[in-house]
Amino acid sequence: MDNIVTEFNEYRSQMNDKLLADKNKIVKRIFNLDTNAYSAGALDVKTKELLGLVASTVLRCDDCIKYHLETSFKIGVTKDEMMETMGIATLVGGTIVIPHLRRAYEFWEALENN
């Protein structure tokens, strides 16, 4: 089985490069805003990433969930913290997000096994 983390990152990187090479000012500004929004401020980076994970889950965006899972993993979020965050996301989003919870758990396991 292909590594889902590697596959996600390669596709994301390739497509981001193409999008940014297109030189669309609006797209570039949105990417920049997204990057800056997750920088430390009144809230630390960890808190912002976990908030992003909740929002992404409630909105049911698997790519966003994977992105926030990987970033959270890299900055030292524990599995318990991730699962508590996903519990809140499932509570807020309702049972319709359970498939996303499953895929998130699978992706987290892949991060742990990399």
Side-chain angles (χ1 to χ4, degrees):
M1 178 174 134
D2 290 338
N3 184 313
I4 60 175
V5 175
T6 302
E7 183 179 308
F8 170 72
N9 284 324
E10 286 176 355
Y11 175 78
R12 184 176 177 276
S13 178
Q14 176 187 26
M15 293 312 299
N16 282 352
D17 289 347
K18 287 182 178 188
L19 288 167
L20 293 171
D22 198 302
K23 299 182 182 175
N24 181 294
K25 190 185 300 187
I26 295 168
V27 170
K28 285 186 174 206
R29 286 181 176 173
I30 290 170
F31 274 57
N32 186 46
L33 179 62
D34 182 69
T35 298
N36 287 318
Y38 287 94
S39 298
L43 297 174
D44 61 23
V45 171
K46 180 178 178 180
T47 300
K48 288 182 175 187
E49 284 302 327
L50 295 176
L51 287 169
L53 181 56
V54 169
S56 297
T57 303
V58 171
L59 292 170
R60 301 187 307 260
C61 177
D62 281 332
D63 279 9
C64 300
I65 292 167
K66 288 175 182 175
Y67 173 81
H68 289 293
L69 284 171
E70 185 168 15
T71 304
S72 294
F73 183 82
K74 286 179 178 177
I75 63 171
V77 169
T78 67
K79 188 174 192 174
D80 288 341
E81 291 170 323
M82 180 275 295
M83 283 303 297
E84 192 166 320
T85 300
M86 291 301 289
I88 297 297
T90 304
L91 174 67
V92 173
T95 57
I96 196 165
V97 304
I98 290 174
H100 302 276
L101 173 62
R102 290 184 193 116
R103 288 188 290 274
Y105 196 88
E106 175 187 29
F107 196 78
W108 189 268
E109 284 184 328
L111 290 167
E112 290 178 321
N113 293 324
N114 258 353

